[in-house]
Amino acid sequence: MKTNKTIPEHIWQFFCSARLAVYTLVLLALTSIIGTVVLQNGSEDDYIKFYGHGWANLIKTFNFDDMYHSWWFLGLIVILCINIVVCSIERLSTTWKIIFPKKITFNTDRFRRLKNLETFTLNKSLSELTLESETLLSKSVGPVIKEETEAGIVLYAEKGRWTRLGVYVVHTSLLLLFLGALIGSIFGFKANLNLDEGQTSDTASLLTTRNPVQLDFSIRCNEFEVRFYDTGAPEEFRSNLTLVQDGKDILTTDIRVNQPLRYKGINIFQSSYGSAPPDQVTLEIIAGQDNATMVRTIKIGEEIQLSDEKTQFKLEGFLPHFDFSGHDLGPTFIGRIFEADGKSFQIGLPLKFPTFDKMRKGHYAFVIKAAEQKHYTGLHITKDPGIWYVYAGFMLMIIGCWITFFMAHESYFIEIQTSGEKTSNLSISGTSNRNSQGLRLKIRKLCHTLKG
Amino acid sequence: MNSSFLLSTTTFIYALATIFYVGSFAFKKQILAKAGFVVLVIGFLDNSAGIILRWIESYQLGYGHAPFSNMYESLVFFSWTVAVLYIFVELKYKESIIGVFASPLIFLAIAYASFDPSISNKISPLIPALKSNWLIAHVITCFLGYAGFAVAFGFSIMYFVKPRNPEAESIFAKLPSWELIDELTYQMVVFGFLFLTIGIITGAVWANSAWGTYWSWDPKETWSLITWFVYAIFMHLRMMKGWSGKNLAWISIIGFIAVLFTYFGVNYLLSGLHSYA
């Protein structure tokens, strides 16, 4: 051991220890708990309300309010990555020769001393038994190496040497995941866009900063539909969307939860919905003096002449909440009546109380007959160029885990010696870089076959 | 006959299997363990039939979804996965005494589903977010993972009850060799780890196709990741640091506590996207 290591060597040593990996994983596991207990991404007031001033300050200082994106949590992930890279370089450089040797060799004495060595005598000649064993090994394991010793013949076969690479596949997959996440956070975006039925827009608002993000195309929401089960639980949210580019419709399709639209790297998801203000209403207008009625459908902003030819009515707008002497009457149309003498006044026509205007006892009463309830659809729009790295990471991780845990580098050794006239002794043993129990079972199976 | 009937009889059959296993252990009668295994297999068949029938019933109600959508269904399925895994282990390793440590878990999960009044066994329709083929892949893989960890936990208990002295008179002296306990625990953790990994991945792919985010640090996601970390630590300690025996058994127990918190704790104590489990 060298005692006077240079500083870079110390750093290298620090990052190539398995102990660091364990400590980092412990820290990641423990600190991850914080974010599941402490409210994430709340407003400053929320923290003061829930935790009090002292704790709120502590939470702010350590970024516990957005801890999975805090410098120290990302720092832990960076340490883990460096650890993986350094460990892999260090270990691969020494095990590469084991994994890809120029020539496969084996140590006869080592196999003779193995705990799982089984020895038995068979009524067969040396050459007969050698041939049988050779066929068996090459069939169930792999190419056989045959050597003659002072007392007889030894056979060696192995398989799965390459599976020693499995653990590197798992670790590479983790690096790919982090790389994909990094690419996604730099070059991608996540945004929301609410579209009323019939509305078109090409500008969404970023989830984190609420800044606008411009798309290469516009999205028009033709229709939104929500269906419910008998139980009242929602069954399906569906938006019919058209993508518009340079004034031309390029694509019309339905999206649902779990059925997004993907177009040129942009993904459009059904994420929420709500009521959009109606833009027209059907009113029954009752004239005070003779109870004559007429039914008219009026758009917002439209002005109509009433039956006395002097009074005019204008539908000015729609409010989601209408305050009437301290009471919230809910969604309400606002109209204005222009009388013959030039005076005008505002009236409210709440959707919930269609005959509300009769109480005014004016010359005309406006009764709501129908107002088409429109919806807006809440779209989640994302771009994530890192996703393919992430998915590749996922695939590699599964494959790597499979190789690492369920495959092994196994070696089998058979020694045959003449013990008498027409009888031979056969010894068999083996090694595995994991799963010694499974190996023992396989050796027993080989014995069984050889004994016939 | 309906699925509720089948699944409540399953509860009693599993209870009987557990009694046989514990009896065989307490009275050192191998024949009771054999009976326990037969009863367990019957319970497993009943459990399977119950799940399949429930699936069919959901189609008859017009909802048509796999029975993995609420706490009741997930617990019933959890029992099923632990049972299938344990049956496999007993057949492979020909050790029936270890059933004492696995059968109570199988019984407890389904008993909890049947007897806790706050857990409804009604078949309810799926909300839009759950309507995906990923549901089946995600739930099956996660629960196979949980089952692996549950059985590993059961086996880990053996480290603490088996006497060190091979000549001890304790009823625990009959337990399998240290070597086999070590092998069994490790194999179960490995099995659980592989399936938890696939479970988390299928969940991430599903989340990406439903919401456009493969990872959102939802409490359930985070806790499944914490569980994953704990078992990753287990692997590194065993393979790189040469840990074994009781020390490693502690990690397996901590891991199973994380599994339980991921499964139940998150639902009852924290809020998030996962409707059932």
Side-chain angles (χ1 to χ4, degrees):
Chain A
M1 283 289 269
K2 271 194 292 180
T3 46
N4 49 346
K5 279 183 279 190
T6 62
I7 289 170
E9 275 174 335
H10 271 295
I11 295 174
W12 184 265
Q13 285 294 310
F14 173 74
F15 278 112
C16 81
S17 74
R19 181 175 294 156
L20 178 68
V22 171
Y23 282 130
T24 314
L25 287 171
V26 169
L27 279 176
L28 280 170
L30 288 178
T31 55
S32 292
I33 299 174
I34 298 171
T36 66
V37 184
V38 175
L39 175 76
Q40 295 294 291
N41 297 309
S43 72
E44 200 140 337
D45 292 343
D46 292 337
Y47 290 100
I48 292 168
K49 207 168 79 196
F50 284 136
Y51 306 103
H53 274 283
W55 286 105
N57 278 336
L58 184 90
I59 288 169
K60 278 276 164 223
T61 313
F62 289 100
N63 296 111
F64 289 154
D65 55 334
D66 187 19
M67 66 147 281
Y68 302 111
H69 303 100
S70 67
W71 60 269
W72 56 266
F73 192 76
L74 297 177
L76 282 175
I77 291 176
V78 170
I79 290 175
L80 191 68
C81 288
I82 299 175
N83 191 199
I84 289 172
V85 172
V86 173
C87 273
S88 301
I89 293 173
E90 181 84 8
R91 281 166 222 276
L92 249 187
S93 61
T94 57
T95 56
W96 191 259
K97 288 195 192 93
I98 300 178
I99 300 170
F100 299 107
K102 284 205 183 73
K103 187 173 176 291
I104 292 171
T105 54
F106 63 98
N107 181 340
T108 310
D109 284 335
R110 179 164 166 251
F111 281 99
R112 282 178 183 148
R113 285 198 303 270
L114 282 174
K115 247 167 75 182
N116 58 25
L117 184 86
E118 303 231 5
T119 306
F120 46 91
T121 309
L122 288 171
N123 291 324
K124 280 174 186 162
S125 72
L126 182 81
S127 56
E128 207 181 340
L129 205 50
T130 307
L131 187 68
E132 264 178 38
S133 306
E134 209 177 336
T135 334
L136 180 66
L137 278 184
S138 68
K139 206 179 74 190
S140 61
V141 185
V144 180
I145 302 172
K146 192 157 81 172
E147 275 177 22
E148 286 188 25
T149 62
E150 61 282 6
I153 299 264
V154 292
L155 303 171
Y156 171 88
E158 62 162 38
K159 67 174 173 186
R161 194 174 272 266
W162 63 274
T163 63
R164 287 174 182 269
L165 283 173
V167 66
Y168 300 98
V169 176
V170 175
H171 287 148
T172 309
S173 77
L174 276 173
L175 296 178
L176 263 178
L177 288 183
F178 294 134
L179 179 69
L182 188 69
I183 291 175
S185 67
I186 295 173
F187 300 106
F189 64 80
K190 291 185 169 65
N192 282 336
L193 173 60
N194 290 348
L195 282 178
D196 297 347
E197 286 173 291
Q199 195 189 349
T200 307
S201 172
D202 64 351
T203 314
S205 126
L206 285 181
L207 215 56
T208 44
T209 59
R210 310 225 164 271
N211 287 339
V213 53
Q214 180 98 24
L215 305 171
D216 296 339
F217 50 83
S218 305
I219 307 169
R220 185 174 70 235
C221 173
N222 304 312
E223 192 197 358
F224 174 83
E225 185 194 40
V226 52
R227 288 214 316 262
F228 295 93
Y229 294 106
D230 305 338
T231 60
E235 181 182 0
E236 183 182 272
F237 308 127
R238 180 182 62 86
S239 296
N240 184 268
L241 304 180
T242 299
L243 302 189
V244 186
Q245 198 159 25
D246 306 324
K248 270 182 288 188
D249 290 5
I250 41 178
L251 178 68
T252 297
T253 185
D254 280 342
I255 66 163
R256 297 175 176 84
V257 182
N258 276 311
Q259 284 173 29
L261 167 61
R262 302 184 195 276
Y263 181 74
K264 288 190 177 167
I266 303 287
N267 310 300
I268 303 167
F269 299 88
Q270 180 69 58
S271 114
S272 64
Y273 76 101
S275 308
D279 59 356
Q280 61 177 30
V281 62
T282 304
L283 295 174
E284 182 183 38
I285 303 165
I286 307 164
Q289 62 267 65
D290 52 5
N291 268 347
T293 64
M294 71 172 182
V295 175
R296 290 288 297 269
T297 298
I298 311 168
K299 279 194 157 49
I300 284 175
E302 198 182 339
E303 201 172 316
I304 57 163
Q305 188 93 37
L306 298 185
S307 56
D308 65 359
E309 312 242 319
K310 290 177 210 137
T311 317
Q312 269 151 9
F313 173 78
K314 184 181 180 190
L315 190 64
E316 287 191 313
F318 177 84
L319 291 175
H321 298 283
F322 180 65
D323 183 76
F324 182 76
S325 21
H327 294 278
D328 179 10
L329 297 183
T332 302
F333 282 99
I334 306 297
R336 186 169 283 274
I337 295 171
F338 299 90
E339 294 196 308
D341 54 9
K343 281 189 208 151
S344 79
F345 56 92
Q346 205 180 46
I347 59 168
L349 307 169
L351 283 178
K352 280 194 225 161
F353 311 103
T355 58
F356 179 76
D357 192 53
K358 278 187 172 173
M359 291 198 306
R360 190 171 47 88
K361 300 207 187 307
H363 295 305
Y364 290 96
F366 298 83
V367 175
I368 296 177
K369 282 282 149 198
E372 194 193 351
Q373 185 56 59
K374 294 182 78 176
H375 287 113
Y376 72 82
T377 180
L379 303 176
H380 184 59
I381 301 178
T382 69
K383 181 182 161 190
D384 188 355
I387 192 72
W388 301 112
Y389 295 87
V390 173
Y391 279 12
F394 286 164
M395 290 308 297
L396 274 186
M397 163 114 24
I398 295 173
I399 295 167
C401 279
W402 185 269
I403 297 171
T404 309
F405 298 131
F406 295 102
M407 298 174 96
H409 176 198
E410 291 172 351
S411 312
Y412 295 88
F413 169 88
I414 292 178
E415 178 162 28
I416 305 157
Q417 292 172 335
T418 308
S419 60
E421 208 174 317
K422 291 291 275 175
T423 63
S424 313
N425 279 339
L426 187 143
S427 304
I428 177 164
S429 66
T431 61
S432 166
N433 64 332
R434 58 179 74 92
N435 194 10
S436 52
Q437 192 73 22
L439 183 88
R440 194 164 302 160
L441 291 174
K442 275 185 203 162
I443 289 178
R444 272 193 209 136
K445 227 174 119 190
L446 289 177
C447 288
H448 193 76
T449 320
L450 285 169
K451 285 178 188 166
Chain B
M1 192 163 66
N2 59 24
S3 64
S4 300
F5 173 75
L6 287 183
L7 292 171
S8 36
T9 53
T10 305
T11 313
F12 291 102
I13 299 174
Y14 281 154
L16 191 63
T18 309
I19 291 168
F20 274 122
Y21 273 115
V22 173
S24 115
F25 188 66
F27 305 117
K28 297 183 186 168
K29 290 274 189 288
Q30 187 62 24
I31 182 79
L32 286 176
K34 288 267 179 294
F37 184 71
V38 172
V39 175
L40 184 68
V41 171
I42 294 170
F44 169 72
L45 294 175
D46 196 14
N47 195 348
S48 315
I51 290 173
I52 292 168
L53 194 57
R54 195 175 166 90
W55 202 329
I56 295 170
E57 282 166 9
S58 105
Y59 271 91
Q60 286 164 348
L61 281 170
Y63 301 143
H65 62 79
F68 307 134
S69 68
N70 58 30
M71 195 46 144
Y72 175 82
E73 291 172 345
S74 83
L75 280 165
V76 166
F77 186 61
F78 180 63
S79 276
W80 187 89
T81 50
V82 178
V84 71
L85 185 61
Y86 175 72
I87 289 170
F88 174 78
V89 168
E90 179 161 341
L91 287 177
K92 183 172 175 197
Y93 290 92
K94 311 258 186 296
E95 280 282 350
S96 55
I97 198 156
I98 50 180
V100 179
F101 299 92
S103 56
L105 296 168
I106 301 171
F107 163 67
L108 282 175
I110 199 164
Y112 179 40
S114 308
F115 298 131
D116 186 330
S118 69
I119 295 175
S120 159
N121 69 353
K122 251 182 69 190
I123 298 179
S124 44
L126 281 188
I127 58 166
L130 291 184
K131 283 186 177 172
S132 167
N133 290 332
W134 287 106
L135 173 71
I136 295 174
H138 177 59
V139 173
I140 288 179
T141 49
C142 281
F143 275 78
L144 283 174
Y146 289 177
F149 296 141
V151 178
F153 163 78
F155 292 166
S156 296
I157 300 296
M158 287 193 267
Y159 284 103
F160 298 93
V161 295
K162 184 175 156 84
R164 280 282 148 198
N165 174 7
E167 264 122 70
E169 285 287 308
S170 153
I171 57 164
F172 297 111
K174 280 275 180 187
L175 288 176
S177 67
W178 292 108
E179 212 181 359
L180 186 64
I181 297 175
D182 183 64
E183 167 78 10
L184 281 170
T185 316
Y186 173 66
Q187 288 297 336
M188 291 303 105
V189 168
V190 158
F191 178 86
F193 190 75
L194 177 76
F195 279 99
L196 178 67
T197 306
I198 302 178
I200 293 175
I201 288 174
T202 50
V205 174
W206 181 10
N208 192 47
S209 69
W211 297 293
T213 317
Y214 50 84
W215 197 262
S216 55
W217 296 104
D218 155 76
K220 194 108 194 168
E221 286 174 1
T222 309
W223 271 96
S224 71
L225 185 68
I226 292 169
T227 307
W228 193 85
F229 282 144
V230 175
Y231 286 103
I233 292 167
F234 179 102
M235 300 293 174
H236 285 89
L237 287 176
R238 188 177 196 273
M239 309 218 207
M240 304 305 301
K241 310 297 296 175
W243 279 36
S244 62
K246 265 190 197 177
N247 291 340
L248 204 57
W250 274 115
I251 309 292
S252 154
I253 289 169
I254 293 170
F256 189 60
I257 292 170
V259 169
L260 289 180
F261 197 83
T262 309
Y263 191 1
F264 302 107
V266 173
N267 290 37
Y268 296 134
L269 302 174
L270 310 168
S271 61
L273 303 166
H274 285 74
S275 66
Y276 69 95

